[in-house]
Amino acid sequence: MFCSDADPVHLQLPVLENGFTYSELEEILSVLDSESHVSPNNSGSEGSNRTLSSSTEDDRKRRRMLSNREAARRSRWRKKQHLEDLTDEQTRLGAVNRELKSQLDYAVSRLFAVQTENECLRSEHASLSTRLSDLRWILLAMQNHIIPR
């Protein structure tokens, strides 16, 4: 009177450490329950063998599906980590690139300053060389006038 076949009682079972979910456990229990209701004129061995074979195949499919899901989850996690690593590398390389550009700008500005200074020194050198040459001629001319030949 407490329980009838028309009014089944559904118990919520916790998910065990074996990794089965509640729905998977319900499915397994329903298979086991259907095996216990084998008709009396059938010995039950043929029906239970088919059920066990089907259940074993279903279990293999279910385990493979769970394994595939876990592999896909790990693959997504690795892809996410790789993307984060690439983003970090991009940020680092961007900073290095900015630093190198700054150093290049400084070197180019120093180059222009040195080139300008070099041009000034070359011009001064040419002017001083001309002046020195003139002074030598004057000195020689003065020496030639002072010392008779």
Side-chain angles (χ1 to χ4, degrees), residues 1-19:
M1 177 118 189
F2 291 105
C3 285
S4 69
D5 287 302
D7 188 23
V9 176
H10 294 286
L11 299 175
Q12 285 192 343
L13 298 174
V15 176
L16 302 175
E17 290 181 10
N18 62 12

Side-chain angles (χ1 to χ4, degrees), residues 16-76:
L16 302 175
E17 290 181 10
N18 62 12
F20 288 115
T21 63
Y22 173 69
S23 61
E24 292 169 336
L25 288 174
E26 265 187 344
E27 203 171 311
I28 292 170
L29 289 175
S30 70
V31 169
L32 293 175
D33 189 36
S34 67
E35 289 177 10
S36 66
H37 290 102
V38 176
S39 62
N41 57 1
N42 188 356
S43 67
S45 64
E46 182 182 310
S48 65
N49 283 341
R50 272 189 254 139
T51 305
L52 286 176
S53 174
S54 174
S55 175
T56 305
E57 289 175 19
D58 289 344
D59 287 345
R60 276 192 226 129
K61 286 180 184 177
R62 198 171 292 109
R63 283 194 304 267
R64 187 68 191 148
M65 187 174 67
L66 290 173
S67 175
N68 287 345
R69 284 182 184 165
E70 181 61 22
R73 185 190 66 76
R74 287 190 309 266
S75 176
R76 286 189 302 271

Side-chain angles (χ1 to χ4, degrees), residues 87-101:
T87 302
D88 292 345
E89 182 75 0
Q90 178 187 17
T91 303
R92 187 187 68 77
L93 290 175
V96 168
N97 193 24
R98 283 189 298 279
E99 178 63 27
L100 290 174
K101 282 182 179 179

